[in-house]
Amino acid sequence: MSEHSANPSSTVAATGRPLAVKAVIPAAGLATRFLPATKAVPKELLPVVDRPVLQYIVEEATQAGIGDVLLITGRGKTSMVDHFDRRPDLETRLEEKGDAERLAAVRRPSELAEIYTVRQPEQLGLGHAIGYAESHVGDQPFAVLLGDEFVKPSEPLLPAMLELQARTGGVVLAFFEVDPAETKRYGIASVEPAEAELTDIGEVVKVTGMVEKPQPEDAPSNLAVLGRYVLPGRIFDAIRRTKPGSGGEIQLTDAMELLRTEGVPVHAIVYRGTRYDTGMPLGYLQTVVQIAAEREDLGSEFRAWLADFVKADAAGGSGT
């Protein structure tokens, strides 16, 4: 049983359209940047202090009122599902020891949401992966959370995205600003001001196009795509009509662009909160350090050690 219970009054926007109540997390990739660690352990289960990346992402969804999560998995990734299952043997041992704190931590993943899975047999692009969610989602709007980034719980993003999608009925993205020299690393959007009636939701823009990894001189803006989407159910038909694009894969960006050219509104929220990116080793290490430094139980001692380490390293010592 999840900690989320659907409240009908909270699942309908002022327009009368339903808010998305399901989330899809594509997590079938091979994570080659983290080999050999990810040969046997899914990247999504790499720990950020004492919780795996995937748990932070599911917690982000449930914080937004989503209690139904579909994991798109691949070969060798069944342990992701195990993490959200009960462990009666471990729970009994902790209970006998009187370790209430760890017992609650072990039980928490199974209480977050209803977790479902579907297997993507081949990794043929993000659009291809999302297509496998159709039988679970149906024709209703749903959120997509990529499995290697999440936002700070005290600076949420999804609730505003869900509201924006319910108002417009279209595609909703999230952007963050990057240094202009970094545009070649991201999908970059061209935008124009959003309709006045949408600006109460947040910093909303209307999307007029997207280009993948442009050189700085060719970039239409410095707004990069963050790994959060809220999509209408008609995206599945668009995916079926989308031909392989970059890398010979079926790209979600191409399917969304197809909908946009057919008149489906595409908007985005510019996110200015804290974003943690664990998709590459450097970003993963930065995330671990940031979150460890902010922990009430670890932060003070860890920051003191880190300051000593940096000081000793600068002086040419080992820091240990």
Side-chain angles (χ1 to χ4, degrees):
M1 185 70 177
S2 75
E3 65 182 24
H4 168 85
S5 58
N7 179 350
S9 66
S10 68
T11 58
V12 178
T15 58
R17 294 192 186 97
L19 291 170
V21 295
K22 295 184 178 182
V24 174
I25 301 177
L30 297 176
T32 53
R33 292 187 182 96
F34 285 86
L35 286 171
T38 50
K39 179 182 177 183
V41 178
K43 178 184 70 172
E44 295 80 5
L45 292 186
L46 293 179
V48 177
V49 187
D50 55 5
R51 276 185 283 168
V53 172
L54 185 59
Q55 183 172 330
Y56 284 93
I57 294 169
V58 173
E59 287 172 345
E60 183 182 336
T62 59
Q63 184 186 18
I66 293 175
D68 180 309
V69 176
L70 177 70
L71 303 178
I72 309 293
T73 68
R75 188 174 295 107
K77 293 207 164 188
T78 55
S79 55
M80 290 192 303
V81 184
D82 293 340
H83 178 72
F84 295 95
D85 201 356
R86 294 288 300 270
R87 272 289 304 271
D89 57 331
L90 180 57
E91 292 174 22
T92 298
R93 180 66 63 88
L94 292 170
E95 206 163 12
E96 290 172 347
K97 291 174 61 179
D99 194 340
E101 185 177 347
R102 287 191 175 86
L103 177 60
V106 166
R107 284 179 173 166
R108 178 167 171 74
S110 66
E111 297 169 346
L112 287 171
E114 303 296 340
I115 304 293
Y116 302 89
T117 65
V118 65
R119 179 73 67 90
Q120 182 190 17
E122 292 182 90
Q123 285 71 64
L124 299 176
L126 180 57
H128 180 261
I130 298 303
Y132 278 88
E134 183 173 14
S135 61
H136 185 79
V137 171
D139 60 359
Q140 297 300 305
F142 63 101
V144 174
L145 296 84
L146 299 193
D148 53 14
E149 57 185 303
F150 56 95
V151 304
K152 195 171 186 175
S154 61
E155 302 166 353
L157 168 63
L158 268 182
M161 294 183 69
L162 298 177
E163 175 67 22
L164 180 57
Q165 197 284 327
R167 288 206 205 173
T168 65
V171 171
V172 172
L173 310 175
F175 297 150
F176 66 104
E177 285 192 323
V178 298
D179 186 287
E182 295 296 303
T183 58
K184 58 189 176 182
R185 295 179 50 202
Y186 301 96
I188 301 295
S190 56
V191 302
E192 62 184 33
E195 300 85 336
E197 63 269 20
L198 298 176
T199 56
D200 65 302
I201 297 176
E203 191 173 345
V204 179
V205 293
K206 187 172 183 179
V207 180
T208 59
M210 284 182 285
V211 60
E212 192 66 26
K213 300 178 181 178
Q215 292 297 317
E217 62 271 19
D218 300 322
S221 74
N222 69 331
L223 295 177
V225 179
L226 193 154
R228 296 293 179 269
Y229 312 80
V230 185
L231 305 172
R234 61 194 298 183
I235 191 68
F236 297 115
D237 177 64
I239 289 171
R240 281 190 289 272
R241 293 185 286 126
T242 298
K243 296 180 180 179
S246 176
E249 298 180 335
I250 298 173
Q251 300 294 345
L252 180 61
T253 299
D254 294 339
M256 293 188 298
E257 178 64 12
L258 176 59
L259 288 183
R260 191 188 67 81
T261 61
E262 294 175 346
V264 174
V266 181
H267 293 82
I269 291 179
V270 180
Y271 182 67
R272 300 192 184 279
T274 303
R275 165 182 170 267
Y276 302 106
D277 184 356
T278 64
M280 299 183 71
L282 177 59
Y284 170 73
L285 291 172
Q286 290 169 335
T287 297
V288 172
V289 170
Q290 283 179 269
I291 290 182
E294 294 170 356
R295 286 270 294 255
E296 289 186 7
D297 58 336
L298 300 171
S300 179
E301 187 175 353
F302 178 67
R303 288 193 301 270
W305 173 85
L306 190 61
D308 288 342
F309 175 83
V310 171
K311 186 185 300 182
D313 185 64
S318 65
T320 58

